[in-house]
Amino acid sequence: MKAIIGKKVGMSQIFDENGHVIPVTVIEAGPCVVTMKKTTERDGYETVQLGYEDVAERKLTKPEMGHLTKAGVSPKKHLREFNLENGAEMNVGDLVKADVFKAGDFVDVTGTSKGHGFAGVIKRHGAHRTPTSHGGGPVHRHAGSMGSSSDPSKIFKGKIGAGHMGVDQVTVQNLTVVKVDPELNMLVVCGAIPGPKGSLVTVKTTVKTHRAKNVETGISHNPQKASGRNPQKASARSK
């Protein structure tokens, strides 16, 4: 897995070679520094801890500052652990830049969604209003009845209701990297990612499986499929 920490810059659009508009999000990715390596012998698992964004020393606690001083790196505001594919080859103090990715890679972007404050069930969960005819009362946007009888005498967990909307960790999967600029520490991905401008995001190799396209069609041996019942039709179809 490849990964990096960055900030959402904002959205824009670019044009491909065919003149089609591609909506993109620009991410300021890195540079990140390796602040710690965890090993199976010492910690029970193997990961690499990356630090991102310089910060004043007075804004860190003594344990945080001691951890970074031991690693020999400058004070960092954000620390995240990743199970990198080349983690065994990396050392404390190494830099991870935007060029760890390349155009055409598929990534998952994790961020914190925008906060919308206290919201009702219609805005927060998409609930419907009550009828607005005579006798409906002033409760058209209320949650409605939640009560049950003496059995079970409670509201089940997960019932929708009004409350704090947003500020949740959200991951958008399977986005395509359109452009990489290591000099500007810039990643351009196709589509939207969670969070407002300037919010912290992590970019990782997608967990989705991508199969190669335009591969020669094979003949199934499953008798419930047409290609299994009549292989000649399947071979003719693949030509």
Side-chain angles (χ1 to χ4, degrees):
M1 181 183 73
K2 297 180 290 186
I4 197 169
I5 312 171
K7 280 186 177 181
K8 178 179 178 179
V9 177
M11 292 199 69
S12 183
Q13 61 184 23
I14 60 177
F15 296 87
D16 63 7
E17 60 275 5
N18 298 321
H20 297 152
V21 177
I22 303 176
V24 298
T25 302
V26 180
I27 301 173
E28 180 188 339
C32 299
V33 61
V34 178
T35 57
M36 185 180 184
K37 282 183 65 177
K38 293 194 174 183
T39 60
T40 306
E41 295 78 13
R42 184 184 61 190
D43 304 290
Y45 62 98
E46 294 186 1
T47 58
V48 173
Q49 186 186 75
L50 299 182
Y52 172 68
E53 191 178 0
D54 291 332
V55 68
E57 182 177 343
R58 60 183 173 81
K59 293 187 178 182
L60 297 179
T61 64
K62 287 186 178 180
E64 290 172 336
M65 198 59 220
H67 170 66
L68 296 172
T69 303
K70 182 179 178 181
V73 300
S74 59
K76 298 296 179 182
K77 187 175 182 180
H78 306 286
L79 301 177
R80 297 290 187 274
E81 286 186 11
F82 301 99
N83 186 12
L84 302 181
E85 58 186 17
N86 60 340
E89 306 169 3
M90 302 182 73
N91 298 313
V92 175
D94 290 350
L95 289 179
V96 178
K97 298 183 178 181
D99 55 3
V100 69
F101 295 99
K102 63 181 185 299
D105 287 348
F106 296 95
V107 296
D108 295 342
V109 182
T110 302
T112 303
S113 62
K114 290 183 179 181
H116 295 269
F118 188 92
V121 289
I122 293 181
K123 181 177 179 180
R124 191 183 186 203
H125 296 289
H128 293 277
R129 296 186 306 169
T130 59
T132 55
S133 59
H134 290 289
V139 292
H140 301 300
R141 296 178 65 90
H142 288 199
S145 174
M146 297 184 186
S148 53
S149 61
S150 58
D151 181 22
S153 299
K154 66 177 181 179
I155 298 176
F156 287 106
K157 193 174 183 179
K159 172 69 176 178
I160 66 172
H164 190 180
M165 181 179 177
V167 197
D168 295 319
Q169 180 175 292
V170 179
T171 300
V172 180
Q173 295 183 324
N174 210 24
L175 299 179
T176 306
V177 177
V178 179
K179 184 179 179 180
V180 179
D181 191 333
E183 295 183 359
L184 297 177
N185 300 320
M186 183 177 69
L187 280 180
V188 181
V189 298
C190 179
I193 65 174
K197 296 178 182 178
S199 60
L200 186 75
V201 296
T202 57
V203 185
K204 299 183 292 185
T205 305
T206 184
V207 296
K208 297 288 186 180
T209 302
H210 287 270
R211 295 183 175 86
K213 295 183 179 179
N214 300 324
V215 179
E216 183 179 354
T217 305
I219 298 175
S220 174
H221 297 288
N222 186 349
Q224 294 181 344
K225 294 186 176 180
S227 59
R229 293 193 299 270
N230 193 340
Q232 292 182 350
K233 286 187 177 180
S235 60
R237 206 168 40 243
S238 63
K239 291 182 180 179

